[in-house]
Amino acid sequence: MSNFLSSVVAGVRENIRQGYYDLAEHVDKLDRPSLKEVAEKTRLPIIAEIKPRSPSLGRLIDSVSVELASSLERAGASALSILVERIHFNGSLELLCRASESIGIPILFKDFVVSTKQVEAASRSGADILLLIAELFRDGYTELPLNQIIRLAHSLGLEVLLEFHDPQLLGTVTNSEADYVGVNNRDLYTLNLKPDHFYSLSHELRGCRFKVAESGYNECGRIGRDRLAGADAFLIGSAIMSSANPSGKLKELLDCDQS
């Protein structure tokens, strides 16, 4: 069985060795609300993800820019997720730095975090939220245990979105000090998508803190179902990035709350 996580971690460690994360600038970011604050005022909170490439789908969009980020903000995104992993996703730490200077909604530092260098880079680059992946901690890929990384992030002014796919990690995630819980419908070992994964776990997530449903959302049926099942927000990337009109696609998905 292929192991995408192992492959991507090897690339991240090479990026660390080459000093990629040391390039993050100290950005004077805008004073932005938290994702929870934005979501409380939004019928259908969507975190729009900016990524040029998907390992499962290939190239999604020819180029990304601050202008693209701004157009998604204007279209109604509750937050932006910006990929910084550059080998498999062609992500850009520079784009996150630039966007932090002008975007008024929360920005998620989307990466495969195994090192404190990445946490520090997220803070310097002006991100508001740090993505952590529970499987990376369980499998021993990280420098520090989960809650130590979370506390470091909090000390640097970052909120934490802790995602998982494996149901066996549910207890680890819900007992952690993370601010948000993410359920990834995609298995990051095989890249297989399980469209009903969030829904199948929703009864076990009742009463859990702010929940983000991730991966595979491109139409109203599943969005509406999972919203009713308890999703507080949706992280959507490929459907938006692969559209000829990303901001238009985002508006289309936001209209799902009226379906």
Side-chain angles (χ1 to χ4, degrees):
M1 181 176 67
S2 62
N3 187 340
F4 174 71
L5 270 185
S6 177
S7 175
V8 77
V9 167
V12 164
R13 286 175 172 162
E14 179 61 19
N15 283 333
I16 293 171
R17 189 189 69 79
Q18 293 179 1
Y20 171 61
Y21 296 98
D22 298 331
L23 300 176
E25 303 174 13
H26 284 278
V27 171
D28 293 326
K29 70 176 185 179
L30 298 182
D31 184 17
R32 293 187 283 264
S34 70
L35 174 59
K36 290 177 185 176
E37 291 171 330
V38 176
E40 287 172 355
K41 303 174 183 178
T42 308
R43 285 186 177 182
L44 182 59
I46 291 180
I47 304 169
E49 184 159 274
I50 297 178
K51 57 179 180 182
R53 187 179 185 280
S54 160
S56 57
L57 299 175
R59 176 160 288 281
L60 301 173
I61 190 170
D62 289 335
S63 63
V64 295
S65 63
V66 174
E67 289 71 25
L68 172 62
S70 296
S71 73
L72 294 172
E73 179 182 14
R74 291 193 300 270
S78 292
L80 293 180
S81 169
I82 299 182
L83 253 299
V84 301
E85 195 283 326
R86 59 182 181 176
I87 295 176
H88 295 84
F89 293 88
N90 296 146
S92 170
L93 189 53
E94 180 182 1
L95 174 61
L96 195 152
C97 291
R98 298 285 75 77
S100 293
E101 297 173 329
S102 59
I103 296 297
I105 53 177
I107 296 177
L108 171 70
F109 182 97
K110 181 73 176 288
D111 199 4
F112 296 77
V113 174
V114 298
S115 168
T116 57
K117 281 187 174 292
Q118 293 163 282
V119 183
E120 293 161 357
S123 176
R124 290 198 308 274
S125 64
D128 304 286
I129 311 168
L130 177 74
L131 177 79
L132 297 178
I133 300 171
E135 280 83 354
L136 292 177
F137 291 87
R138 188 219 17 221
D139 294 354
Y141 287 118
T142 61
E143 289 178 357
L144 295 175
L146 176 59
N147 277 328
Q148 286 189 37
I149 289 283
I150 293 174
R151 289 168 194 154
L152 172 61
H154 286 164
S155 74
L156 295 174
L158 295 161
E159 291 190 303
V160 172
L161 167 60
L162 177 60
E163 76 163 49
F164 73 104
H165 176 83
D166 186 344
Q168 294 184 5
L169 288 167
L170 178 61
T172 297
V173 172
T174 56
N175 291 324
S176 76
E177 298 174 21
D179 304 278
Y180 308 104
V181 169
V183 179
N184 196 338
N185 293 316
R186 191 176 298 282
D187 183 334
L188 291 179
Y189 295 100
T190 65
L191 296 181
N192 291 334
L193 182 68
K194 298 180 180 179
D196 298 330
H197 195 56
F198 179 91
Y199 186 77
S200 69
L201 293 175
S202 59
H203 66 286
E204 299 182 57
L205 292 165
R206 288 175 185 164
C208 185
R209 75 204 76 173
F210 195 102
K211 299 174 287 293
V212 181
E214 306 171 11
S215 296
Y217 293 98
N218 56 19
E219 46 82 25
C220 289
R222 286 185 52 243
I223 291 175
R225 181 198 65 183
D226 289 358
R227 179 72 161 149
L228 289 173
D232 296 296
F234 295 85
L235 193 154
I236 304 177
S238 296
I240 295 171
M241 289 295 100
S242 62
S243 172
N245 180 359
S247 59
K249 180 63 177 180
L250 173 58
K251 288 179 181 178
E252 175 189 320
L253 295 173
L254 287 167
D255 284 340
C256 288
D257 75 304
Q258 301 175 14
S259 300

